[in-house]
Amino acid sequence: FISRDKIVINVPVCTGRHQDDESSTPSLSMLNLTGSIVICRAKSGATILDRRPAPIRRGASSNSHLAELNSSGEAPPIHALMLYPDTYVSTSKRSSNNLVEYDYAFDVSEETILDAISLSYGASHPMLKGGTIISCMLESIYAHGSVFAREGAIADPSEKLRKRNFLRHLPAIELTAGIQKTYIPKQSTSYFDDGNTRSIPEMEGGRVMIQIIGGNGDESSLNSQKTDQIIVKEGIKIIADFGVSSFSSNSETNVNEFPELDIFEGSKLCTFILGTFDGCVIFHLRPQVMVEPRVSTGPNVFNPLEAYEIDFSGSSLSLRIKECSLNLGHRRVIVPTETTFAVNVIKSLVNMSFEGTTQCELSWDFQGSSPILQVTSPGNTPAQSSHEDRQQVPVLIKDLCQGRLNMEISPVGGLSFTQASTSREDKEGLYDWK
């Protein structure tokens, strides 16, 4: 429906379905979407909050009939204003006749699912050595939720599609999407090669779930039946939860000659790692909370790039190693089984230029054992030598086989380390072990 002052687009239902029962692996994909869009002329006196006037545009319009309508002083039709905004908004003094109110709402059904996608990436350059080929399978991709405009949404059609203008129109959203299974096929020839290091990766049992939440009310509107619902009133929060049940990497790196350490030409550092990892990345884009003015004039409300901030607090990443070894000639380092490393972001707040401070907690646990350095005579390898022909020594003292510490990143990139918080009063020093 289109009139002089309103545009209405209604999508009662949009369904797509693909089913293949004849293939060796039957597949089913489905999309189910409903929604509507309403665009109308803004009410008299309506304004855009913190709207920045656009520069004056000079030069005659190529559409003479539109220029004539504009010079008459009449309010242009809503569809013409959307298609030719520069014609009707030709001066820095703007009228509410040139602003539009909009509302939209779309729902993605829980029936929406994509059976499988195969991704392949390859990179090479005639001026560079090596190349990269990675193949990955994504199975059972799902999505469900809703996206809708926030209350009282007003837009200026003449605004350019810039990031600073887009931030003023963030939607209200509750959307969940994910991948139930992702892996690198064993029959693929995936590898990384930058001319100095060549690595062959393997992965299986990967999963990803992404939640996008914003503008879904406040704590007073929390449904008692949904005690785990996340409330985000301002901005948009993205929560990405991911994990891999098994991954491995077998790599070789060329090492420069160092005769004093018995490292000769042609030596390679061979690394093998097998393990699992999982994590959660939290990304909250929101207006800045100004406790006190940072400058004499206060925050720059005309530029959302300076009035918004990003909060990564609560993000975490953990790695568990099942097997890991590093070999260089007649030397080898073995990492204990079930070794774990973890990073927890205590507080991280940056502006739109990614300037700010970050506080992280780093922890490690070698399960009571130290990594072992093994050495044999030059020309042999520890794996091929007998127990009598090789020597070994622990790399860490017992107290450092488990611990944690705090790391702080300053706005200029400086690193500082402090003792992590602990409930054990009898432990002193930088490292805190259990």
Side-chain angles (χ1 to χ4, degrees):
F1 170 78
I2 299 179
S3 68
R4 185 178 181 83
D5 297 322
K6 181 180 290 188
I7 299 176
V8 179
I9 301 175
N10 188 27
V11 183
V13 61
C14 178
T15 303
R17 180 186 177 94
H18 177 268
Q19 186 171 358
D20 187 0
D21 296 329
E22 298 180 357
S23 64
S24 57
T25 304
S27 62
L28 172 63
S29 299
M30 181 179 295
L31 170 66
N32 196 323
L33 175 70
T34 61
S36 61
I37 303 176
V38 178
I39 303 175
C40 62
R41 196 180 311 281
K43 297 178 181 179
S44 178
T47 59
I48 298 179
L49 182 63
D50 300 335
R51 181 166 56 87
R52 194 179 190 180
I56 299 176
R57 299 185 178 276
R58 305 184 183 277
S61 171
S62 59
N63 300 303
S64 58
H65 63 288
L66 296 177
E68 182 180 354
L69 178 60
N70 189 31
S71 62
S72 66
E74 297 181 3
I78 188 69
H79 61 275
L81 183 61
M82 298 295 295
L83 292 174
Y84 307 101
D86 294 339
T87 302
Y88 297 105
V89 189
S90 57
T91 63
S92 59
K93 183 179 180 181
R94 304 187 180 189
S95 168
S96 60
N97 289 335
N98 296 323
L99 302 179
V100 297
E101 295 184 18
Y102 64 90
D103 189 15
Y104 58 85
F106 288 95
D107 292 320
V108 180
S109 167
E110 294 185 358
E111 298 176 353
T112 299
I113 187 171
L114 191 60
D115 185 74
I117 293 180
S118 176
L119 299 179
S120 294
Y121 169 80
S124 62
H125 194 279
M127 300 296 292
L128 300 176
K129 297 180 179 180
T132 297
I133 297 177
I134 297 295
S135 298
C136 184
M137 287 293 298
L138 312 179
E139 294 184 354
S140 299
I141 304 173
Y142 61 91
H144 58 84
S146 58
V147 181
F148 45 95
R150 305 205 180 201
E151 184 178 357
I154 298 177
D156 185 350
S158 65
E159 283 185 338
K160 296 301 181 182
L161 296 178
R162 297 175 178 172
K163 182 168 60 175
R164 63 186 59 185
N165 296 330
F166 175 76
L167 290 175
R168 297 189 179 98
H169 306 285
L170 292 176
I173 183 172
E174 290 187 25
L175 182 66
T176 300
I179 306 170
Q180 294 184 358
K181 184 179 180 181
T182 177
Y183 61 94
I184 297 178
K186 294 185 178 298
Q187 64 273 18
S188 68
T189 56
S190 299
Y191 66 90
F192 297 96
D193 190 352
D194 61 0
N196 188 62
T197 300
R198 181 181 177 88
S199 177
I200 300 177
E202 294 183 3
M203 182 187 70
E204 60 183 15
R207 57 168 180 81
V208 179
M209 185 182 72
I210 300 175
Q211 292 179 279
I212 307 176
I213 309 166
N216 60 344
D218 50 28
E219 295 182 359
S220 61
S221 63
L222 186 63
N223 190 332
S224 59
Q225 297 179 353
K226 296 182 179 180
T227 56
D228 59 343
Q229 183 180 0
I230 301 174
I231 297 298
V232 180
K233 186 176 181 180
E234 295 290 342
I236 286 183
K237 177 179 285 189
I238 301 176
I239 303 174
D241 188 7
F242 58 91
V244 172
S245 62
S246 178
F247 79 94
S248 66
S249 175
N250 200 341
S251 62
E252 290 186 354
T253 303
N254 298 324
V255 180
N256 294 329
E257 185 178 11
F258 203 143
E260 291 80 0
L261 297 179
D262 295 328
I263 300 175
F264 303 104
E265 184 179 0
S267 298
K268 294 181 180 293
L269 174 63
C270 300
T271 306
F272 176 76
I273 182 172
L274 172 66
T276 66
F277 70 86
D278 59 87
C280 179
V281 176
I282 300 176
F283 176 99
H284 189 185
L285 175 65
R286 65 190 183 194
Q288 285 186 354
V289 180
M290 303 297 292
V291 178
E292 58 183 11
R294 300 183 182 179
V295 294
S296 58
T297 58
N300 185 356
V301 296
F302 292 105
N303 186 357
L305 290 181
E306 298 178 7
Y308 273 72
E309 63 187 10
I310 304 174
D311 188 358
F312 293 95
S313 302
S315 300
S316 62
L317 176 66
S318 64
L319 169 67
R320 181 178 294 273
I321 297 177
K322 297 181 179 179
E323 182 180 352
C324 179
S325 63
L326 298 88
N327 295 268
L328 178 60
H330 62 290
R331 302 177 180 90
R332 177 172 66 173
V333 175
I334 302 176
V335 179
T337 303
E338 300 299 325
T339 293
T340 59
F341 298 94
V343 178
N344 295 316
V345 180
I346 306 301
K347 182 179 180 181
S348 178
L349 198 61
V350 298
N351 59 21
M352 295 298 292
S353 299
F354 281 87
E355 297 176 348
T357 59
T358 299
Q359 295 178 357
C360 302
E361 183 182 84
L362 311 179
S363 60
W364 65 94
D365 187 355
F366 290 99
Q367 303 301 322
S369 301
S370 167
I372 299 299
L373 171 62
Q374 295 182 340
V375 180
T376 187
S377 58
N380 298 322
T381 62
Q384 298 174 347
S385 302
S386 62
H387 178 72
E388 293 79 7
D389 295 334
R390 65 171 180 259
Q391 299 176 345
Q392 65 182 33
V393 63
V395 178
L396 300 175
I397 62 175
K398 185 178 180 180
D399 292 339
L400 295 183
C401 292
Q402 180 182 5
R404 65 179 187 267
L405 54 86
N406 289 334
M407 179 182 71
E408 183 173 348
I409 305 175
S410 68
V412 296
L415 300 179
S416 60
F417 296 91
T418 58
Q419 182 180 4
S421 59
T422 177
S423 60
R424 301 189 63 181
E425 299 179 355
D426 58 329
K427 296 297 182 182
E428 297 179 357
L430 176 62
Y431 303 100
D432 169 43
W433 57 89
K434 296 181 180 179

